[in-house]
Amino acid sequence: GLVVLEAMACKTPVIASAIGGLKDTAGRAGLVFPPGDVTALTSRILELLDSHDHVADLSLKGYRLVMREYQEDEMIENYRLQYRVLAGHE
């Protein structure tokens, strides 16, 4: 999953197989395809090759997602909140 976030942080559009965390992250700000479906992967690649605007949109959307939800301070605060909830303090 980190590779997807790193690519998004570099404003690179992402195409990922719809499995595990990749599905969740890439599905929010990138393109996904069913695991092993070469035809769907090809379609996603062509989708980006055919539209510079779509590439720019996904690049910005992914970058904003990383900047909004995956910054160190934000992640630390989210972990603290989860621990408080689990401990029954929230």
Side-chain angles (χ1 to χ4, degrees), residues 1 4 16-33 35:
V4 168
S17 182
I19 56 173
L22 294 176
K23 174 180 62 180
D24 299 331
T25 305
R28 294 173 56 204
L31 302 176
V32 294
F33 63 95

Side-chain angles (χ1 to χ4, degrees), residues 2-3 13 19 22 25 30 40 43-44 49-50 54 56-58 60 62-63 65 70 72 77 80 88:
L2 287 179
V3 172
I19 56 173
L22 294 176
T25 305
S43 176
R44 299 300 181 274
L49 289 174
D50 288 341
H54 195 35
D57 180 54
L58 286 178
L60 185 57
Y63 178 78
L65 173 70
Y70 294 96
E72 183 177 0
E77 188 54 39
R80 285 182 181 154

Side-chain angles (χ1 to χ4, degrees), residues 5-67:
L5 295 175
E6 289 170 349
M8 289 178 173
C10 293
K11 296 184 180 175
T12 302
V14 171
I15 302 172
S17 182
I19 56 173
L22 294 176
K23 174 180 62 180
D24 299 331
T25 305
R28 294 173 56 204
L31 302 176
V32 294
F33 63 95
D37 188 339
V38 176
T39 302
L41 171 58
T42 302
S43 176
R44 299 300 181 274
I45 292 169
L46 292 174
E47 187 178 326
L48 292 183
L49 289 174
D50 288 341
S51 175
H52 180 72
D53 290 340
H54 195 35
V55 168
D57 180 54
L58 286 178
S59 298
L60 185 57
K61 190 175 180 181
Y63 178 78
R64 286 180 175 165
L65 173 70
V66 170
M67 293 301 115

Side-chain angles (χ1 to χ4, degrees), residues 70-81:
Y70 294 96
Q71 293 301 301
E72 183 177 0
D73 292 344
E74 184 70 24
M75 292 181 71
I76 289 170
E77 188 54 39
N78 286 337
Y79 280 120
R80 285 182 181 154
L81 177 60

